[in-house]
Amino acid sequence: MKKTFSDEDLIKNLSLYYLNRHLKKKPIEKYHRTIDESPLHDREKYRKKSEILLLNSFMHHFPEVKFENLTCESPDFIAKLNDKKIGIELTEVINHLEMKKVESTLNKMFRQAEILLEQEDTTKYRGVYFLEFHPNVKFDNLEVQEENIINIYKSIKKNKPIGCVKSIRKSSHRRNVFITHEYNMNLFDELCSDKILELIEKKNEKFPYYDTSVDECWLVIVSDMNSIASRYTFIQDKEHLQEVKSPFHKIFHLENLCGNITSIK
């Protein structure tokens, strides 16, 4: 089976974000066009588009923010707010490190199954498919991955769970075939505040190297709730976050599903 995980596949799957949250679509589309028109490599464009999408909930809390530089580094973005030039550094907090590798493997398998379905008949199979897998399914070697890809392909083709697939749910999409992991919330899935504090410490060390032309520099820490590696239901020992010391002018923790924001500094 052909092993392909291209920039086109990555960019294509950005459309999943539009199906999973209420976007401020006009500015998002405008910002994406600006990124597309930049000289960045396609993979960098994908990363920047993903980052600005993660900040969508942030824009709901700060609707007057206008992004001026979307393609800079250190910080990730420069925006205008109340006549101030604000640098915004964005970072994701990973809640389940052991799931990060599994999620990467799953995404590659999903892309392979998508390719098979689109090669067969894009019009017939177009849609978004949310898959849940049986417990203890293995993804750790190529032979098993090949088998799982075929099971995913057959499950969608026959519209019923086969092999490793426990359940399948479909949502409409106008253009392509998209496959993602079913969202399951664990009511006791805590995010330890120490993980957030460790991230802040790492960013504090880099602060002297950020653009000094900005009036303020903000740190936005995001839990990407569309990622199985980042999901959480509550922050453990949340009060510890109020003790943080940092040169950043403001620090926020944001979750991008319901848009809840916590002001840390």
Side-chain angles (χ1 to χ4, degrees):
M1 185 177 292
K2 186 180 179 183
K3 300 291 190 300
T4 307
F5 190 38
S6 67
D7 294 324
E8 182 183 354
D9 295 321
L10 293 172
I11 293 166
K12 183 184 71 169
N13 279 272
L14 283 171
S15 294
L16 279 172
Y17 282 92
Y18 289 91
L19 296 159
N20 286 304
R21 58 168 65 74
H22 299 293
L23 291 174
K24 294 167 75 73
K25 289 204 173 171
K26 284 188 177 178
I28 288 289
E29 289 169 359
K30 172 188 163 189
Y31 295 145
H32 273 201
R33 283 196 301 272
T34 301
I35 293 168
D36 275 332
E37 291 164 2
S38 75
L40 292 177
H41 184 275
D42 282 348
R43 191 166 292 275
E44 284 301 302
K45 288 179 182 178
Y46 167 76
R47 183 176 66 82
K48 282 290 184 179
K49 285 179 178 181
S50 298
E51 288 175 344
I52 202 73
L53 282 163
L54 287 177
L55 282 173
N56 177 66
S57 297
F58 176 83
M59 286 186 272
H60 279 280
H61 289 279
F62 297 94
E64 63 277 17
V65 163
K66 303 295 180 188
F67 287 89
E68 294 189 336
N69 190 336
L70 299 164
T71 59
C72 56
E73 295 289 339
S74 302
D76 294 310
F77 303 101
I78 292 177
K80 200 80 172 178
L81 176 65
N82 299 330
D83 295 324
K84 284 186 177 181
K85 191 176 179 182
I86 309 292
I88 297 176
E89 178 69 10
L90 178 70
T91 188
E92 181 183 352
V93 58
I94 305 299
N95 195 28
H96 307 285
L97 286 173
E98 71 282 0
M99 288 302 300
K100 191 68 177 175
K101 186 176 179 181
V102 173
E103 186 167 30
S104 177
T105 301
L106 274 174
N107 286 334
K108 291 178 182 178
M109 289 165 48
F110 292 158
R111 300 301 81 81
Q112 295 301 316
E114 288 172 2
I115 290 167
L116 289 175
L117 290 160
E118 290 180 344
Q119 286 174 344
E120 184 172 322
D121 190 339
T122 300
T123 304
K124 182 178 179 181
Y125 299 115
R126 68 164 58 112
V128 184
Y129 298 88
F130 300 88
L131 303 185
E132 182 182 359
F133 295 93
H134 290 291
N136 305 317
V137 171
K138 302 295 183 183
F139 305 104
D140 52 359
N141 67 66
L142 289 175
E143 186 177 344
V144 171
Q145 289 174 27
E146 295 271 355
E147 182 181 345
N148 289 338
I149 290 166
I150 296 301
N151 285 330
I152 292 168
Y153 162 76
K154 288 181 177 178
S155 295
I156 291 172
K157 187 174 179 179
K158 297 183 179 181
N159 196 30
K160 66 177 183 179
I162 292 174
C164 62
V165 180
K166 181 180 178 182
S167 68
I168 180 170
R169 176 171 65 90
K170 181 181 179 181
S171 179
S172 62
H173 191 275
R174 291 180 300 169
R175 294 174 58 192
N176 297 105
V177 179
F178 297 98
I179 307 171
T180 187
H181 197 272
E182 179 65 277
Y183 186 90
N184 288 314
M185 178 67 83
N186 182 341
L187 294 176
F188 303 101
D189 194 4
E190 74 270 14
L191 168 60
C192 181
S193 60
D194 285 346
K195 291 182 180 178
I196 297 176
L197 293 172
E198 286 171 13
L199 265 182
I200 294 172
E201 281 299 317
K202 288 179 181 177
K203 292 296 180 179
N204 285 348
E205 293 173 6
K206 296 179 180 179
F207 187 86
Y209 304 103
Y210 290 154
D211 188 336
T212 56
S213 70
V214 298
D215 298 310
E216 294 184 4
C217 195
W218 296 5
L219 177 61
V220 180
I221 300 166
V222 178
S223 288
D224 182 2
M225 301 294 277
N226 291 296
S227 164
I228 56 178
S230 290
R231 293 176 193 167
Y232 76 101
T233 48
F234 66 95
I235 300 175
Q236 187 181 44
D237 301 323
K238 194 173 180 178
E239 64 277 7
H240 292 172
L241 298 177
Q242 303 305 319
E243 303 166 6
V244 71
K245 298 187 185 304
S246 174
F248 286 96
H249 295 79
K250 292 184 184 294
I251 303 175
F252 301 98
H253 173 260
L254 181 74
E255 64 94 340
N256 68 331
L257 193 68
C258 299
N260 296 324
I261 193 168
T262 300
S263 178
I264 298 173
K265 180 183 175 185

